[in-house]
């Protein structure tokens, strides 16, 4: 809790030399595009241009790039699997995070040069070159602090630190969203029945996410009598769990970033043709959400193929003396597992696609004044479930240690 509290304090520490009011006006006018999504993930730190305004995204980007490279280059994949190599692998991710953060920080600083408020005031109040140097150093420090906080949380076994940081950022916006909704009801701009309908939709969405995220296909595994006798005092897993959603929250994040980035860039142009393209890619359009659905499905299959390696599972199973009843060990087992995973991935991809387009449905038909649905619900619920499992495991471990100490 202390680490998460420190994270929220850092979100209110702005980069020196910036006019916070101008930045907030800019993000308020871009709440429905990629900047709004980025601001949500940073816990509203971006609209204050705090030292952690880049959030933990550079670290996540570096991790995803390394995952893709590890799946492409066998030597990097072996490094990741080896215990000593894993330390070197994580060190490469940290260095890549530094590089990505510096590039993004300099880009953001230079972009603010042309930003002005409604009254004509500048976003930067000091010399431009000095501001770029200060902003780059400040944002790099903030991102490295977040990375350290995330790793410390993970090492203490209470959940994935990086996921918890994103979780805290999203949840921090809920009170203001509730306050805004109450104000709309009080002023008569929103019907109370609509609010009840929104709550029902959110509850149903959370229930569906919990049901699917906990769903898995358990492929039965048998072991030879010799293996069972040798491991009488050890627990041998008699099934292979394959989750319905193998790709997690990566596909919605990738799809949103890819589609919203061009829209954000094109809106600065006054060319009529570019403006027509910008309107075509408007996040509130039917075409945009149709593309979102297709991209989420594509990335779900792509990332699931990286996350689930049937060949490695079949080799480990064969090495341990296990087999799937009715399936030949080796290539036969790998083929069977790939077939099961493909069927589950289809269901998981459709589920992710529907969840990702839910915010648009809420905004379009119910006039929801806040962004709480789809990707944000998926992240919040997934992280909460994972944290609960880890806390439960820690409680059981402490109980066993206590019983062992008293001789029971």
């Amino acid at each position: 809790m202390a680490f998460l509290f420190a994270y929220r304090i850092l979100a209110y520490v702005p980069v020196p030399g910036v006019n916070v009011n101008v930045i907030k006006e800019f993000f308020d006018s871009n709440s429905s595009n990629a900047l709004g999504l980025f601001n949500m993930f940073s816990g509203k730190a971006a609209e204050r241009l705090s030292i952690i305004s880049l959030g933990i995204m550079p670290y996540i980007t570096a991790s995803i790039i390394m995952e893709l490279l590890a799946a492409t280059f066998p030597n990097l994949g072996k490094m990741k699997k080896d215990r000593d190599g894993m330390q070197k692998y994580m060190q490469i991710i940290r260095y890549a995070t530094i590089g990505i953060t510096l590039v993004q920080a300099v880009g953001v600083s230079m972009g603010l040069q042309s930003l002005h408020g409604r009254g004509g005031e500048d976003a930067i109040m000091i010399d431009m070159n000095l501001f770029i140097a200060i902003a780059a150093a400040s944002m790099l420090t903030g991102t490295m602090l977040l990375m350290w906080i995330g790793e410390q949380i993970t090492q203490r076994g209470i959940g994935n630190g990086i996921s918890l940081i994103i979780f805290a950022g999203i949840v921090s916006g809920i009170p203001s969203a509730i306050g805004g909704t109450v104000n709309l009801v009080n002023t008569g701009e929103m019907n109370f029945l609509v609010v009840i309908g929104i709550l029902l939709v959110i509850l149903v969405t959370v229930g569906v996410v919990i049901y699917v995220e906990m769903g898995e296909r358990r492929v039965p595994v048998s072991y030879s009598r010799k293996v069972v006798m040798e491991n009488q005092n050890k627990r041998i897993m008699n099934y292979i769990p394959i989750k319905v959603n193998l790709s997690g929250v990566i596909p919605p994040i990738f799809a949103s970033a890819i589609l919203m980035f061009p829209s954000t860039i094109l809106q600065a142009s006054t060319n009529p043709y570019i403006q027509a393209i910008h309107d075509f890619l408007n996040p509130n359009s039917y075409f945009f959400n149709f593309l979102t659905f297709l991209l989420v499905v594509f990335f779900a299959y792509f990332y699931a193929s990286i996350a689930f390696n049937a060949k490695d599972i079949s080799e480990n199973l064969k090495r341990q003396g296990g087999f799937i009843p009715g399936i030949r060990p080796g290539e036969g087992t790998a083929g069977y597992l790939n077939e099961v995973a493909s069927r589950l991935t289809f269901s998981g991809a459709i589920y992710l696609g529907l969840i990702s387009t839910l915010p648009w449905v809420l905004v379009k038909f119910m006039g929801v004044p806040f962004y709480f649905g789809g990707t944000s619900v998926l992240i919040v619920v997934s992280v909460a479930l994972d944290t609960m499992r880890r806390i439960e495991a820690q409680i059981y471990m402490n109980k066993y240690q206590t019983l062992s100490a008293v001789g029971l």
Side-chain angles (χ1 to χ4, degrees):
M1 291 299 293
F3 284 123
L4 293 179
F5 179 73
Y7 158 65
R8 293 308 303 154
I9 292 296
L10 291 172
Y12 288 87
V13 180
V15 172
V18 69
N19 190 329
V20 179
N21 294 327
V22 174
I23 304 297
K24 191 174 187 314
E25 286 179 7
F26 176 71
F27 274 95
D28 287 343
S29 62
N30 290 275
S31 59
S32 62
N33 56 34
L35 293 173
L37 185 67
F38 178 75
N39 190 34
M40 180 191 68
F41 283 144
S42 68
K44 301 293 182 71
E47 68 178 28
R48 305 181 189 99
L49 201 71
S50 78
I51 61 173
I52 60 166
S53 55
L54 295 179
I56 201 66
M57 287 303 172
Y59 181 80
I60 294 175
T61 303
S63 300
I64 293 173
I65 292 173
M66 288 297 293
E67 287 283 347
L68 296 175
L69 291 176
T72 306
F73 300 100
N75 291 335
L76 199 57
K78 290 179 181 178
M79 179 192 295
K80 181 183 174 183
K81 294 176 184 177
D82 184 63
R83 180 178 296 179
D84 295 331
M86 188 62 182
Q87 295 181 354
K88 190 179 295 184
Y89 179 86
M90 292 303 299
Q91 199 66 24
I92 294 174
I93 291 178
R94 295 188 187 101
Y95 287 133
T97 301
I98 293 174
I100 293 171
T101 303
L102 286 174
V103 170
Q104 290 184 349
V106 172
V108 168
S109 303
M110 295 179 67
L112 292 177
Q113 186 176 11
S114 59
L115 185 62
H116 304 283
R118 294 171 185 170
E121 60 272 24
D122 294 331
I124 300 173
M125 299 184 295
I126 59 176
D127 179 70
M128 185 61 194
N129 293 328
L130 178 62
F131 175 76
I132 291 176
I134 293 176
S138 301
M139 292 182 185
L140 177 60
T141 303
T143 299
M144 298 310 290
L145 275 173
L146 284 188
M147 185 177 69
W148 179 80
I149 288 173
E151 291 180 351
Q152 291 300 310
I153 293 174
T154 303
Q155 288 176 9
R156 280 159 175 74
I158 57 174
N160 185 293
I162 304 302
S163 299
L164 281 172
I165 288 174
I166 299 176
F167 171 88
I170 295 174
V171 171
S172 65
I174 295 178
S176 60
I178 295 174
T181 306
V182 172
N183 288 334
L184 289 177
V185 173
N186 292 335
T187 57
E189 296 181 35
M190 179 177 286
N191 195 307
F192 185 71
L193 293 177
V194 174
V195 176
I196 294 177
I198 293 170
L199 290 175
L200 288 175
V201 172
I202 291 175
L203 289 175
V204 170
T205 304
V206 172
V208 170
V209 171
I210 292 174
Y211 180 78
V212 176
E213 291 301 316
M214 296 186 70
E216 62 183 21
R217 166 75 184 278
R218 296 183 175 183
V219 179
V221 176
S222 296
Y223 292 89
S224 63
R225 182 176 178 82
K226 179 181 178 182
V227 174
V228 173
M229 295 299 292
E230 289 177 352
N231 295 274
Q232 285 183 352
N233 298 324
K234 297 180 181 178
R235 180 178 178 273
I236 303 178
M237 181 169 286
N238 56 358
Y239 63 86
I240 299 173
I242 305 177
K243 293 188 64 177
V244 175
N245 180 21
L246 282 168
S247 52
V249 299
I250 298 299
I253 294 175
F254 269 26
S256 299
I258 288 176
L259 283 175
M260 287 185 174
F261 182 74
S263 178
T264 305
I265 297 299
L266 294 176
Q267 69 180 0
S269 175
T270 56
N271 187 291
Y273 296 103
I274 294 180
Q275 280 296 314
I277 297 174
H278 171 260
D279 294 338
F280 199 60
L281 293 176
N282 190 308
N284 293 322
S285 67
Y286 290 93
F287 180 73
F288 179 90
N289 287 274
F290 177 69
L291 280 181
T292 299
F293 182 87
L294 293 181
L295 278 177
V296 168
V297 171
F298 168 76
F299 281 120
Y301 273 97
F302 177 76
Y303 198 76
S305 65
I306 297 175
F308 185 81
N309 194 322
K311 185 177 180 181
D312 287 350
I313 294 174
S314 64
E315 289 177 356
N316 291 334
L317 197 63
K318 186 177 180 180
R319 197 178 301 116
Q320 295 171 3
F323 61 93
I324 300 174
I327 306 296
R328 293 182 60 182
E331 293 184 2
T333 299
Y336 175 76
L337 291 176
N338 273 326
E339 183 181 350
V340 173
S342 296
R343 291 200 298 266
L344 291 175
T345 301
F346 175 77
S347 302
I350 298 299
Y351 146 78
L352 285 176
L354 293 175
I355 290 294
S356 299
T357 53
L358 180 64
W360 174 71
V361 175
L362 290 174
V363 172
K364 188 78 173 179
F365 297 102
M366 292 186 175
V368 179
F370 56 88
Y371 191 98
F372 187 75
T375 305
S376 56
V377 172
L378 183 63
I379 293 173
V380 168
V381 174
S382 300
V383 173
L385 289 173
D386 181 62
T387 305
M388 287 173 61
R389 292 194 194 102
R390 290 174 184 258
I391 292 175
E392 187 178 7
Q394 286 286 335
I395 292 172
Y396 279 121
M397 187 180 296
N398 292 335
K399 285 183 178 179
Y400 288 138
Q401 289 175 350
T402 303
L403 291 174
S404 176
V406 296
L408 297 177

